[in-house]
Amino acid sequence: MFPFRKKRVEEALVPPNPAEDRAIELTSEELRLLRQPRSAIAEQIRQLRNSIQALNPDGAPRTMVITSSVEGEGKSVGTLNLALALAELPRMRVLVLDADLHRPAIEDYLGLPHRQGLSELLRGELGLDQAVRATSVQGLCVMGPGRLPEKPSELLGSDRLKTVLSQLRQRFDYVLIDTPPALSINDSAMLGALADGIVLVVRMHSTQRHLVEQAYNLLENLGGNVLGTLLTAAGEPNQAYSR
Ligand SMILES: Nc1ncnc2c1ncn2[C@@H]1O[C@H](COP(=O)(O)OP(=O)(O)O)[C@@H](O)[C@H]1O
Ligand SMILES: [Mg+2]
């Protein structure tokens, strides 16, 4: 059903190569901000970006977790489009961090090869500068998940993650953290409590309301701060304005 839902082959990963990454054009149709920059969906994402910016008038560096109640609601695609919308602003430095160590998708949506990343960084096997990958889009960097660990929660729960997040705050204006669904995997709520804010992705007309409420309560009860929601599959009500 979903193109990237097939099991990830556990290959032996090598460190990223900056020249290789920068040369890759981002072509996926899912990247609405690049492919259909004037569509209603692109505008909706820019509105979310503007609201997030409005909540941060001082322009302080921010870490934000993107999550949803259940799988397939559009977290990964939403994370990338929000990152692209932020990167449209002048001098903005944005990092997309793929912290879904169960079903990562960021590298695949960007067409980037799987390389070492977050897991190796947290294990001390890769430096931060190597783990952060530039892309062909100005202002946009990514960090992939690296080799998927046996016990993702243990790796993400280590103190080292806090250090990594504070180092990333010094280098980027926004760090957007893609995560697994909140109701099935505890990692999102745990990461949400560490981050400055959470965006809850909700698939319209599909996800049951009580599940959204459950996810919201779970995230807030564990210390997270839900800043807003991103509605996906909402149709294109403003078709007349899109090109
Ligand atoms: N705004 C949207 N409108 C319609 N479909 C979307 C939207 N965002 C994502 N999708 C689709 O939903 C599917 C799952 O998206 P994905 O971001 O991988 O989900 P998740 O990360 O929440 O599991 C993809 O096929 C994607 O094309
Ligand atoms: Mg995903």
Side-chain angles (χ1 to χ4, degrees), residues 2-3 5 30 41 68 71-77 109 203 232-233:
F2 300 124
R5 292 289 179 255
E30 311 278 5
I41 289 183
S68 65
E71 191 190 351
E73 293 197 70
K75 291 178 290 300
S76 302
V77 169
Y109 279 125
R203 184 173 281 264
T232 58

Side-chain angles (χ1 to χ4, degrees), residues 215-234:
Y216 180 93
N217 291 335
L218 175 75
L219 294 163
E220 288 267 332
N221 289 343
L222 283 182
N225 176 19
V226 179
L227 298 175
T229 51
L230 170 61
L231 301 179
T232 58

Side-chain angles (χ1 to χ4, degrees), residues 109-130:
Y109 279 125
L110 294 178
L112 297 179
H114 298 173
R115 295 289 180 250
Q116 291 183 352
L118 180 62
S119 303
E120 288 76 18
L121 175 61
L122 292 175
R123 287 197 211 96
E125 296 164 11
L126 188 73
L128 189 79
D129 287 332
Q130 277 185 294

